[in-house]
Amino acid sequence: SEVIRGFLLSGMPCPSSCPPGLLALMAPGLALLATFSLPSQAGDRRALPVEKPPGVKGRTLILLDVNTKSPVRIISENFLSLQLDPSIIHDGWLDFLSNRTVLQHPSWILCLVTMLAWSLNDSLCRDLCAVKSPSAAPLSSGSDLAISLFSFPFAVDIVRSDIALDKQKGCKIAQHPDIMLELQREKAAQMHLVLLKEQFSNTYSNLTLTARSLDKLYNFADCSGLHLIFALNALRRNPNNSWNSSNALSLLKYSASKKYNISWELGNEPNNYRTLIGRSVNGSQLGKDYIQLRSLLQLIRTYSRANLYGPSIGRPRKNVITLLEGFMKVAGSTVDAVTWQHYYIDGRVAKVTDFLKTRLLDTLSDQIRKIQKVLNTYAPGKRIWLEGVGATSSGGMNNLSDSYAAGFLWLNTLGLLASQGIDVVVRHSFLDHGHNHLVDQNFNPLPDYWLSLLYKRLIGPKVLAIHVAGLQRKPRPGRVIRDKLRIYAHCTSYRNHNYVRGSITLYIINLHRSRKKIKLAGTLRDKIVHQYLLQPYGKDGLHSKSVQLNGQPLAMVDDGTLPELKPRPLRAGRTLVIPPLTMSFYVVKNVNALACRYR
């Protein structure tokens, strides 16, 4: 569905003036576009020349070393980005983006954030979010666009820019009384039921996006230091099935008149157009549509050099790969990055045990290879964005996709994408009607928010290769051994002034139901380590929506202040003990790694 596709916020490095708070969550140390380390299965499995510590059985100890001489990948500073779901227009949350608490949240993410915008379509409205998500219900727009009224399908992405966050003079920051927030939550709950009904029945109501709504969206991005990526409606078609750009041109002219700094995209999940509008668009025609959009942008001085992204295809099944191949033949050189989407589970049938399945975690790697194969054929070196990603589709499930358990998929996604050279990942979403978001309707951070915040603060763009011994069992004939212990390594973020350059950060996912012991070897041996261990907080276990860091529960100090994320220092040479079913970060200090000394 592609009507209001969405806003994508892709953050650039946060300036020193980034305000604290939720927006500041991903500030420098939390640039949304963070780097990932190689998964353990991608690392060299040769045995390390390290003697077994006396009294320790070899089978119980994992030996870990990292290649510190040179990185295997260098990912974008904006690697981790966020989305806003188009439903925020429909259910009223758009009016609350100017709330002080909300503006504070993105600043942490804004350092590198992609915010899912929505796309307004003639008949759908899911395209606004730069990253089209199957969970975002398509909403149809009203009549043709008037000068002051935009009622057409489009999508928006927001990427962090170099705009200073202290630029509050022109920013409209609102203070909403508690009663207004309570009424809004009631309205959103009712609208959530409506959207679910529409999704299941595959019939959607109309949605009109006004110029005022666009102004609010841009104000949010600008005041948060984000860059907006807007996905235009591709569902408006001429009788010959070519793209009808009249509505888009009106939007471009309006945005240019306001001097809005926006990048662009066209459509959302073009492989689903037949279901949405009763006619399909093949890759060749889609490529011609993008060339047409590029020509429109070049006619408008403000956007003559604007970035253009696409085609935002769905999961790369056979028919989708065929569509991508046709698109790349015609318009491969027209787009600045190729975009696609991935959702792991149907949110309507998900169970907590699904998030622990290694087979599910590994599905993303197969999808990446399919996309890369096409690009290597038609546009070698072209950047790839995973522009829509979430644990579940269909809006997710309460106490599952917004719980601690969903973090296993999210952290592993970051690691896999970084290790396989994906330039940007856009998380669906920051705030919406479903349960895939990072912030709840009280603007309180959910588990994946804290996970993303730690990632942004600790993980740098340089990905390092790891060497592991003692991790895998000997495979049985005909059986694939899938790692339940996932280990990734990066240079520590150079924006984190608590650590000198040359330090290394490990992040580890333990899906085992028993603790695992890791002994640092080689260049990491006998170094002081700072531990950041995330565990569920409260009696709900893996279903919990609260987390604790090193045993201390995490919560906002006030509407605009994040808590201090304190590490637990471990003495030099100490074995790392990884509790069962946990996620953790370990900063190995003062390694003086050659790969990490310079930016």
Side-chain angles (χ1 to χ4, degrees):
S1 67
E2 183 251 332
V3 179
I4 287 189
R5 198 183 107 186
F7 320 104
L8 231 175
L9 296 171
S10 168
M12 302 286 294
C14 273
S16 58
S17 56
C18 279
L22 291 182
L23 274 185
L25 278 185
M26 298 203 152
L30 187 62
L32 276 180
L33 285 148
T35 321
F36 306 116
S37 57
L38 287 175
S40 57
Q41 59 266 39
D44 187 348
R45 298 241 179 233
R46 293 175 297 177
L48 297 175
V50 180
E51 297 180 0
K52 299 176 184 178
V56 178
K57 296 182 180 180
R59 290 175 63 90
T60 64
L61 191 67
I62 296 163
L63 303 180
L64 172 65
D65 192 11
V66 173
N67 183 344
T68 59
K69 294 181 179 180
S70 61
V72 293
R73 305 278 187 193
I74 300 179
I75 57 179
S76 169
E77 292 286 346
N78 292 331
F79 177 76
L80 177 53
S81 299
L82 296 182
Q83 300 174 340
L84 284 180
D85 194 278
S87 62
I88 66 171
I89 289 180
H90 201 277
D91 61 22
W93 283 115
L94 178 62
D95 292 330
F96 289 80
L97 290 183
S98 59
N99 182 281
R100 178 173 178 268
T101 305
V102 177
L103 285 173
Q104 296 293 19
H105 271 296
S107 72
W108 61 271
I109 283 188
L110 295 195
C111 291
L112 206 31
V113 186
T114 316
M115 193 156 174
L116 184 90
W118 339 297
S119 64
L120 261 149
N121 197 303
D122 289 344
S123 57
L124 306 170
C125 172
R126 178 160 57 107
D127 227 10
L128 253 187
C129 297
V131 177
K132 297 70 169 174
S133 132
S135 64
L139 303 173
S140 75
S141 62
S143 57
D144 283 347
L145 173 68
I147 292 180
S148 62
L149 178 66
F150 299 98
S151 66
F152 47 81
F154 58 86
V156 186
D157 294 344
I158 303 177
V159 178
R160 175 85 175 175
S161 67
D162 292 323
I163 301 172
L165 289 180
D166 61 353
K167 195 181 136 182
Q168 300 297 325
K169 293 182 180 179
C171 294
K172 301 173 182 177
I173 300 178
Q175 293 292 339
H176 296 95
D178 291 342
I179 184 63
M180 287 185 63
L181 287 172
E182 183 60 33
L183 291 173
Q184 169 57 28
R185 282 190 284 268
E186 292 178 3
K187 175 184 176 182
Q190 295 173 0
M191 187 54 60
H192 177 53
L193 297 177
V194 172
L195 292 176
L196 286 176
K197 183 178 179 180
E198 291 180 348
Q199 287 178 357
F200 280 99
S201 63
N202 200 33
T203 57
Y204 303 98
S205 58
N206 292 338
L207 175 63
T208 298
L209 180 72
T210 64
R212 186 164 179 260
S213 295
L214 178 60
D215 294 341
K216 291 177 181 179
L217 176 62
Y218 191 84
N219 177 71
F220 168 71
D222 191 37
C223 292
S224 300
L226 299 175
H227 177 69
L228 186 64
I229 302 173
F230 198 97
L232 296 162
N233 179 17
L235 296 183
R236 297 176 64 91
R237 316 300 297 182
N238 293 315
N240 64 357
N241 208 28
S242 63
W243 177 48
N244 185 333
S245 61
S246 58
N247 210 6
L249 182 59
S250 299
L251 173 61
L252 291 172
K253 289 181 177 179
Y254 175 80
S255 300
S257 72
K258 304 284 284 189
K259 293 183 170 54
Y260 287 163
N261 179 22
I262 300 176
S263 295
W264 303 93
E265 205 166 7
L266 178 62
N268 174 47
E269 292 188 83
N271 45 289
N272 288 333
Y273 285 177
R274 176 175 291 279
T275 301
L276 300 175
I277 58 175
R279 66 170 75 173
S280 60
V281 176
N282 61 33
S284 177
Q285 181 58 58
L286 187 63
K288 294 176 183 178
D289 296 341
Y290 265 79
I291 292 174
Q292 181 182 352
L293 174 55
R294 175 61 81 182
S295 299
L296 287 181
L297 294 174
Q298 291 174 344
L299 291 175
I300 301 174
R301 178 178 299 180
T302 303
Y303 301 122
S304 59
R305 297 184 179 180
N307 286 333
L308 179 60
Y309 304 102
S312 193
I313 57 174
R315 292 187 64 179
R317 297 182 175 90
K318 185 176 180 180
N319 64 314
V320 179
I321 289 297
T322 300
L323 187 150
L324 179 60
E325 290 174 338
F327 174 84
M328 295 302 298
K329 289 178 184 178
V330 174
S333 61
T334 301
V335 293
D336 295 284
V338 171
T339 58
W340 63 291
Q341 305 171 38
H342 179 79
Y343 293 85
Y344 286 94
I345 311 171
D346 185 339
R348 292 169 290 191
V349 297
K351 303 182 297 293
V352 68
T353 53
D354 292 335
F355 298 101
L356 309 179
K357 294 178 179 177
T358 55
R359 186 180 299 276
L360 179 65
L361 270 63
D362 292 339
T363 57
L364 177 60
S365 185
D366 296 334
Q367 307 295 327
I368 294 172
R369 285 192 288 268
K370 291 179 182 179
I371 299 294
Q372 288 176 330
K373 183 178 179 180
V374 174
L375 266 65
N376 289 338
T377 300
Y378 298 101
K382 179 72 67 174
R383 292 181 297 158
I384 303 175
W385 286 22
L386 180 53
E387 198 188 47
V389 63
T392 59
S393 62
S394 302
M397 290 187 69
N398 189 27
N399 295 325
L400 282 179
S401 47
D402 52 1
S403 70
Y404 178 87
F408 295 123
L409 282 178
W410 177 226
L411 188 57
N412 189 68
T413 295
L414 295 177
L416 279 178
L417 293 175
S419 66
Q420 296 194 32
I422 302 304
D423 195 55
V424 172
V425 54
V426 180
R427 166 62 188 261
H428 177 266
S429 75
F430 179 63
L431 174 70
D432 61 31
H433 74 281
H435 303 286
N436 281 323
H437 41 250
L438 299 182
V439 178
D440 68 18
Q441 293 187 352
N442 294 312
F443 308 136
N444 293 318
L446 291 166
D448 278 4
Y449 180 92
W450 298 113
L451 194 61
S452 302
L453 179 57
L454 281 170
Y455 190 95
K456 296 293 279 184
R457 290 192 175 178
L458 300 176
I459 302 299
K462 294 183 179 180
V463 184
L464 304 174
I466 65 171
H467 306 274
V468 180
L471 183 58
Q472 278 196 340
R473 306 184 304 275
K474 183 178 180 180
R476 300 174 185 174
R479 179 183 176 186
V480 177
I481 298 297
R482 298 180 184 272
D483 291 337
K484 288 190 174 184
L485 188 67
R486 310 268 168 140
I487 306 173
Y488 303 87
H490 286 244
C491 294
T492 302
S493 174
Y494 60 85
R495 296 180 178 278
N496 192 322
H497 300 302
N498 293 322
Y499 303 107
V500 299
R501 292 191 181 183
S503 298
I504 288 174
T505 300
L506 308 170
Y507 51 109
I508 301 173
I509 303 167
N510 183 14
L511 294 173
H512 289 277
R513 296 186 180 275
S514 60
R515 66 179 187 174
K516 295 298 173 182
K517 296 180 180 180
I518 298 177
K519 187 71 175 179
L520 300 182
T523 54
L524 308 184
R525 184 190 306 181
D526 297 329
K527 301 296 182 183
I528 295 175
V529 175
H530 278 185
Q531 172 185 276
Y532 297 83
L533 174 63
L534 274 180
Q535 295 174 288
Y537 178 71
K539 62 181 180 180
D540 294 327
L542 295 179
H543 291 275
S544 178
K545 296 182 181 180
S546 300
V547 297
Q548 54 184 326
L549 176 65
N550 297 324
Q552 298 298 316
L554 291 177
M556 295 291 292
V557 176
D558 56 40
D559 287 349
T561 307
L562 289 167
E564 183 179 357
L565 303 180
K566 295 181 180 180
R568 178 191 177 193
L570 305 179
R571 70 173 185 272
R574 177 174 175 176
T575 298
L576 307 182
V577 179
I578 317 298
L581 299 176
T582 58
M583 296 165 282
S584 51
F585 296 80
Y586 295 89
V587 179
V588 187
K589 300 181 62 178
N590 305 320
V591 178
N592 197 26
L594 179 63
C596 306
R597 292 180 195 168
Y598 310 101
R599 294 180 57 177

